[in-house]
Amino acid sequence: AQKVTQAQTEISVVEKEDVTLDCVYETRDTTYYLFWYKQPPSGELVFLIRRNSFDEQNEISGRYSWNFQKSTSSFNFTITASQVVDSAVYFCALSELGGGSNYKLTFGKGTLLTVNP
Amino acid sequence: ETGVTQTPRHLVMGMTNKKSLKCEQHLGHNAMYWYKQSAKKPLELMFVYNFKEQTENNSVPSRFSPECPNSSHLFLHLHTLQPEDSALYLCASSPQRTSGSYEQYFGPGTRLTVT
């Protein structure tokens, strides 16, 4: 089973629509961290948000919002009023010890979001 | 320069060539990472360095050889590669390796094509 599952491979929306990117994770650790990264066509991954396992407060940053629910092991990402510049691949990632001595960051396969004008 | 830089941005090499990828971070971080990103696959962690010491090698073939001369620079030496090694190679850095809470900062990657 995948540790980080992003079931949506590709999503296409029209500008100004709201869109939610799903992320489901799997871990046995009680302390872990979740991340979202954006990868525009230029290639570099851009950090968007970090959430630790003890903080289930939802967060809003401008048009971006994140919904962390431990009960369903989900960390979903919503873009409100999408814009063409939001077109990118979005990655959800989990950082955990998993029984090891170093934290390991595991990425999902990513969701390609295309926002059409 | 700021952030994480990688050179070259694009590289085409034959299977018998030897080349090196370079990564430099200007963030004062102590941990550096090499990732491989192939089409339709999750990012694969290859190597991790913390305070110039290699702390992780995820069963990477010996035709990939990393080098970390100091905390700001990371190299990936390539030799006798295979066509399946064609991918985007991403370098990242973070303050240190021991905490899972630090986000990693990524470079733009080197697009490698092995012919």
Side-chain angles (χ1 to χ4, degrees):
Chain A
Q2 294 178 51
K3 283 193 170 287
V4 180
T5 302
Q6 294 180 257
Q8 304 145 310
T9 306
E10 295 186 35
I11 300 177
S12 182
V13 299
V14 177
E15 213 170 13
K16 297 185 183 178
E17 283 185 20
D18 298 347
V19 58
T20 296
L21 309 182
D22 298 332
C23 174
V24 174
Y25 62 92
E26 179 185 331
T27 181
R28 293 183 179 180
D29 290 9
T30 54
T31 301
Y32 55 89
Y33 304 87
L34 296 163
F35 299 81
W36 275 96
Y37 285 85
K38 173 182 179 180
Q39 186 177 35
S42 54
E44 77 276 21
L45 274 76
V46 177
F47 164 75
L48 296 177
I49 190 172
R50 171 189 56 244
R51 186 50 98 223
N52 75 56
S53 52
F54 299 106
D55 182 2
E56 283 194 76
Q57 273 194 320
N58 291 329
E59 182 155 340
I60 298 174
S61 176
R63 295 184 297 106
Y64 294 172
S65 62
W66 291 269
N67 184 348
F68 175 31
Q69 291 197 339
K70 287 178 76 170
S71 60
T72 55
S73 297
S74 65
F75 187 41
N76 296 337
F77 173 29
T78 298
I79 301 175
T80 304
S82 59
Q83 300 177 1
V84 173
V85 295
D86 295 327
S87 297
V89 181
Y90 290 86
F91 291 94
C92 179
L94 165 71
S95 179
E96 56 166 357
L97 280 172
S101 55
N102 284 314
Y103 276 88
K104 183 174 180 182
L105 188 63
T106 303
F107 287 85
K109 290 187 176 181
T111 297
L112 172 61
L113 173 66
T114 302
V115 182
N116 298 298
Chain B
E1 294 243 40
T2 58
V4 181
T5 58
Q6 289 186 244
T7 54
R9 294 294 308 276
H10 300 273
L11 178 63
V12 179
M13 60 186 288
M15 289 191 285
T16 58
N17 291 158
K18 287 185 181 180
K19 296 285 184 183
S20 295
L21 310 185
K22 179 183 176 183
C23 174
E24 185 173 358
Q25 57 95 1
H26 309 268
L27 301 167
H29 290 166
N30 294 300
M32 297 188 77
Y33 311 78
W34 278 117
Y35 286 88
K36 176 183 179 183
Q37 186 178 28
S38 306
K40 300 190 178 178
K41 279 184 159 184
L43 272 78
E44 301 172 60
L45 178 65
M46 300 174 72
F47 301 103
V48 182
Y49 279 81
N50 196 40
F51 293 93
K52 301 188 299 179
E53 298 297 320
Q54 187 180 121
T55 60
E56 208 158 325
N57 174 342
N58 279 332
S59 305
V60 181
S62 59
R63 57 186 184 269
F64 295 91
S65 174
E67 179 190 359
C68 187
N70 54 62
S71 292
S72 299
H73 293 86
L74 185 64
F75 295 89
L76 187 63
H77 304 299
L78 316 170
H79 63 97
T80 59
L81 294 191
Q82 305 298 312
E84 60 264 28
D85 296 324
S86 298
L88 181 68
Y89 288 85
L90 290 160
C91 174
S93 71
S94 69
Q96 57 178 311
R97 184 79 175 95
T98 51
S99 170
S101 66
Y102 293 121
E103 64 268 24
Q104 294 180 18
Y105 292 80
F106 285 80
T110 295
R111 174 70 62 188
L112 173 67
T113 303
V114 181
T115 60

